Amino acid sequence: MQDLTTALNQVASALKDATDPLSGDLARDSGAQGLKRALSGLAGNVIMPGATGTEPRTLADLGLSTQRDGSFQLDTARLTATLKADPAGAAAIFTNGLYGAFATFDGITRRATATGDPGSLGGSVTRYTAQKAKAGTDKTELAAKQAALRTQLITRFAKMNTAVGASKSTLSFLQNQIAAWNKST
């Protein structure tokens, strides 16, 4: 349980950093927020619906609790009491099957990584990958348009430079003619 608590805290810490409203890369990502919600309810969710009597039904019954900051804490006194009261029931939470910790973690993982669900992390990865590809295509198109515009502006400048040169030549000719007329009178 201590290893599980440590692992959950590592995930919760990374998720908290990623979803930080001021500096998190996934601050407004629906998939990250959904995973955060799933983890926040993990300790109290009934993962052994068939448990009866004193058998543990939740991870909270084994001492796991979610703190206000989203981290997890292990109450070893509660874990010890549950293990004394029903060691077989506590062990049953960690067996393979339709219910239990493994099935719960598998369900959270499957929902979080579903690429077809736009509200999951997998859907976010799919969306961001498509946006990255589009940004690459847009960048290539923009570079091509920039090169075409540069060529067009160079051509226009060359034509304008030729026209200015011709105008200066005409101006010089006219100034020389006027100067010659003024000298003759």
Side-chain angles (χ1 to χ4, degrees):
M1 280 302 293
Q2 187 60 50
D3 289 345
L4 176 64
T5 305
T6 301
L8 287 171
N9 277 330
Q10 289 173 349
V11 171
S13 175
L15 194 56
K16 182 178 179 182
D17 291 344
T19 58
D20 182 89
L22 299 176
S23 63
D25 292 334
L26 301 174
R28 291 176 184 86
D29 183 75
S30 59
Q33 296 298 334
L35 181 58
K36 199 172 179 180
R37 280 189 301 277
L39 288 179
S40 71
L42 181 64
N45 287 346
V46 174
I47 60 173
M48 297 298 288
T52 59
T54 60
E55 293 177 338
R57 298 168 49 96
T58 66
L59 290 172
D61 292 338
L62 297 180
L64 185 71
S65 62
T66 306
Q67 304 303 298
R68 295 188 84 167
D69 65 354
S71 65
F72 294 89
Q73 185 176 350
L74 181 62
D75 180 354
T76 54
R78 187 166 182 188
L79 175 61
T80 303
T82 302
L83 288 173
K84 283 182 183 178
D86 190 359
I93 286 181
F94 293 101
T95 58
N96 291 331
L98 295 176
Y99 304 108
F102 297 124
T104 300
F105 294 133
D106 182 59
I108 290 171
T109 302
R110 287 178 190 269
R111 284 188 298 279
T113 58
T115 57
D117 179 6
S120 71
L121 280 176
S124 295
V125 168
T126 301
R127 184 175 61 254
Y128 295 142
T129 302
Q131 288 175 352
K132 181 180 176 184
K134 184 175 180 340
T137 302
D138 290 350
K139 182 179 176 184
T140 303
E141 289 175 6
L142 183 60
K145 287 179 180 179
Q146 182 181 14
L149 180 60
R150 180 181 175 88
T151 302
Q152 184 183 31
L153 289 175
I154 289 172
T155 303
R156 284 185 181 178
F157 179 77
K159 287 179 182 178
M160 181 204 57
N161 200 23
T162 303
V164 168
S167 294
K168 283 182 178 181
S169 176
T170 303
L171 176 64
S172 178
F173 174 76
L174 290 175
Q175 285 174 338
N176 289 337
Q177 287 295 323
I178 292 172
W181 288 337
N182 286 338
K183 276 187 180 182
S184 65
T185 53

